[in-house]
Amino acid sequence: DTAVSQTPKYLVTQMGNDKSIKCEQNLGHDTMYWYKQDSKKFLKIMFSYNNKELIINETVPNRFSPKSPDKAHLNLHINSLELGDSAVYFCASSQERGAGRFFGPGTRLTVL
Amino acid sequence: SQQGEEDPQALSIQEGENATMNCSYKTSINNLQWYRQNSGRGLVHLILIRSNEREKHSGRLRVTLDTSKKSSSLLITASRAADTASYFCATVGSQGNLIFGKGTKLSVKP
């Protein structure tokens, strides 16, 4: 069984559109994350979330918002997509914030 | 902000050789982690070393940590073609945030 899954794997869309990426983990972890990997393979934390606390990287535009319907899911909503949003987005989870992360397979977003 | 810096950026070796990758960081840490990323895939957690540990082993992997020099190294012994991937170090500070370096791209030739 896949530990951390994301859908879709690929997402191609036009500038200005609104899109969502779904993430689910079946590990029973309390904390979930969203990371962005740019074209140079640099990984940047976007959000860290557990049932008590949402921590937002201050450099993330407010067009990006995480939504967590329950402990096992953390979806990423992006409004008014821009060309610079093109990247690979990874969901991850961990038992606690200092522990190793389990990553999903990634969603490659291309904004045209 | 970026914390770790891996060195070298790219490494090409023959199968059977050992591969050593280094990571330097700037601020104090609770632990340091190494990850592998195969092309087009997600990251896989390899090993975590705490700030009070100096060395850790996992199979063919050996990680060292020198907090006085703010550096870590990852050694892969007897490398295989399947070890071809990018390797990232990541540090965890007191707030629990995981901050990644830029990665080392390892190519193991059969």
Side-chain angles (χ1 to χ4, degrees):
Chain A
D1 269 347
T2 305
V4 182
S5 59
Q6 293 177 231
T7 54
K9 190 168 172 61
Y10 300 96
L11 184 53
V12 181
T13 188
Q14 300 286 331
M15 258 190 347
N17 283 351
D18 303 337
K19 290 293 179 186
S20 295
I21 306 172
K22 295 185 177 180
C23 176
E24 176 181 1
Q25 54 99 1
N26 62 7
L27 297 164
H29 287 163
D30 283 335
T31 308
M32 296 183 72
Y33 312 84
W34 278 102
Y35 288 85
K36 178 181 179 181
Q37 187 172 43
D38 63 24
S39 57
K40 295 182 180 178
K41 304 296 184 188
F42 179 51
L43 276 147
K44 186 174 79 170
I45 180 71
M46 300 177 72
F47 303 101
S48 162
Y49 183 80
N50 66 19
N51 58 6
K52 299 175 186 175
E53 189 180 22
L54 170 66
I55 298 177
I56 303 170
N57 184 328
E58 66 273 11
T59 66
V60 175
N62 58 15
R63 298 181 294 104
F64 291 78
S65 57
K67 298 276 194 306
S68 180
D70 55 57
K71 190 175 125 170
H73 297 83
L74 183 66
N75 302 325
L76 182 65
H77 295 266
I78 316 169
N79 294 326
S80 304
L81 278 156
E82 300 177 357
L83 293 176
D85 297 333
S86 295
V88 182
Y89 292 84
F90 288 98
C91 177
S93 71
S94 68
Q95 198 160 2
E96 55 180 8
R97 290 190 64 210
R101 297 344 184 207
F102 286 77
F103 279 81
T107 296
R108 181 173 292 276
L109 171 65
T110 303
V111 182
L112 303 175
Chain B
S1 63
Q2 183 187 337
Q3 168 76 307
E5 283 277 350
E6 285 91 341
D7 168 52
Q9 289 187 330
L11 180 61
S12 183
I13 59 174
Q14 293 294 129
E15 220 169 16
E17 293 180 341
N18 295 341
T20 299
M21 287 160 270
N22 302 299
C23 170
S24 59
Y25 56 93
K26 296 174 184 173
T27 60
S28 62
I29 61 169
N30 280 354
N31 68 65
L32 184 145
Q33 303 175 21
W34 284 90
Y35 289 80
R36 184 187 74 232
Q37 184 178 31
N38 291 86
S39 181
R41 310 288 285 271
L43 283 84
V44 174
H45 179 255
L46 295 176
I47 201 162
L48 181 154
I49 186 164
R50 292 186 166 74
S51 59
N52 60 354
E53 297 176 310
R54 292 295 166 257
E55 189 170 311
K56 209 159 182 181
H57 297 254
S58 176
R60 293 184 295 113
L61 305 181
R62 174 179 166 247
V63 168
T64 61
L65 179 64
D66 186 335
T67 52
S68 67
K69 294 181 180 176
K70 291 187 167 60
S71 68
S72 173
S73 67
L74 170 67
L75 169 67
I76 304 174
T77 59
S79 63
R80 305 166 183 169
D83 294 329
T84 295
S86 291
Y87 291 82
F88 294 87
C89 73
T91 54
V92 175
S94 58
Q95 301 299 314
N97 291 327
L98 187 70
I99 302 176
F100 284 88
K102 291 181 179 177
T104 292
K105 192 168 184 178
L106 174 66
S107 176
V108 181
K109 298 179 180 177

